[in-house]
Amino acid sequence: MIDSEALLAVLRRAPVVPVLIIDRLEDARPLGAALVRGGLPALEVTMRTPVALDAIRAMSDIEGGVVGAGTVLDAAQARDAVAAGAKFLVSPGATPALLDAALELGVPLLPGCANASDVMVAREKGYRVVKFFPAGPAGGPNYLKALASPLAEMLFCPTGGVSLENARDYLKLPNVICVGGSWVAPGDAVKSGDWARIETLAREAAALKP
Ligand code: 3PG
């Protein structure tokens, strides 16, 4: 049984989940701390770089933060991420094996879904909260709006092409719990250690209201 409530408790804390690509381990803590100070406590560290697991470890005790792993592609990555301290998992798509692995691990997974069939596969496994990915190319707010009636019990976190400018178009939909996006942690700001800018971007994102 998937613990949707545990996932919802994390996702309800702020309207935006930052999607993080961390290349240098030493950036992990100051980056996470800046986002939390700005009001974004859920930190999705993507498993796209060699330091991702160490970054999750380094960020797991940031006060006020909840660290999770993104771009989780298979059961082995899910297990590694949880062992490193990830409290939630996010995937760009979903395979039955990954959906089962997260259930076995007992750690909330936000599985990627791009259409009604994807959502139905996740739903059959007991999932009620999914990521809509890639939100913009897959159809944007209008597509999600069209899923609300037939898939009434499902909640979505649209990610992929979401920005400060269009986030409200998603957040105002009744089936959207939050959005995800990398815009709050731009690569150039991370590279130059501009934590003040990232805190400001987080503050703007945290203030988003539908
Ligand atoms: C990604 O896969 O990189 C995330 O979904 C974030 O997408 P974004 O960079 O468009 O915010």
Side-chain angles (χ1 to χ4, degrees):
M1 178 67 189
I2 196 80
D3 190 355
S4 295
E5 282 312 312
L7 184 58
L8 291 173
V10 175
L11 301 180
R12 280 199 184 105
R13 288 178 63 183
V16 179
V17 176
V19 176
L20 308 175
I21 299 170
I22 300 177
D23 289 307
R24 295 180 310 203
L25 183 55
E26 61 267 33
D27 293 335
R29 282 187 68 87
L31 170 61
L35 291 163
V36 172
R37 276 199 307 278
L40 301 181
L43 307 168
E44 180 189 331
V45 178
T46 59
M47 303 271 282
R48 299 183 201 175
T49 66
V51 303
L53 288 173
D54 285 331
I56 289 169
R57 260 180 227 108
M59 294 164 87
S60 58
D61 64 348
I62 292 177
E63 209 183 325
V66 185
V67 69
T71 323
V72 175
L73 300 182
D74 54 39
Q77 286 190 348
R79 277 191 290 275
D80 289 348
V82 170
K87 295 289 184 275
F88 64 95
L89 306 171
V90 186
S91 56
T95 64
L98 179 61
L99 292 167
D100 288 341
L103 288 169
E104 278 160 29
L105 286 163
V107 171
L109 166 70
L110 197 55
C113 295
N115 56 47
S117 293
D118 292 349
V119 178
M120 288 168 67
V121 171
R123 184 184 163 280
E124 276 181 4
K125 299 274 187 186
Y127 288 78
R128 294 294 179 266
V129 192
V130 300
K131 164 174 163 167
F132 177 46
F133 179 81
N142 281 341
Y143 191 96
L144 263 189
K145 201 171 170 184
L147 294 184
S149 179
L151 299 167
E153 66 203 327
M154 301 301 298
L155 288 171
F156 296 85
C157 171
T159 306
V162 182
S163 64
L164 187 67
E165 288 69 39
N166 66 13
R168 280 191 184 83
D169 298 337
Y170 292 99
L171 290 167
K172 69 184 179 195
L173 300 176
N175 56 349
V176 168
I177 179 143
C178 61
V179 299
S182 63
W183 87 86
V184 289
D188 61 333
V190 176
K191 203 169 176 191
S192 63
D194 193 348
W195 312 127
R197 179 173 160 218
I198 287 173
E199 184 177 338
T200 300
L201 290 167
R203 213 170 286 289
E204 286 171 357
L208 276 169
K209 293 278 180 315

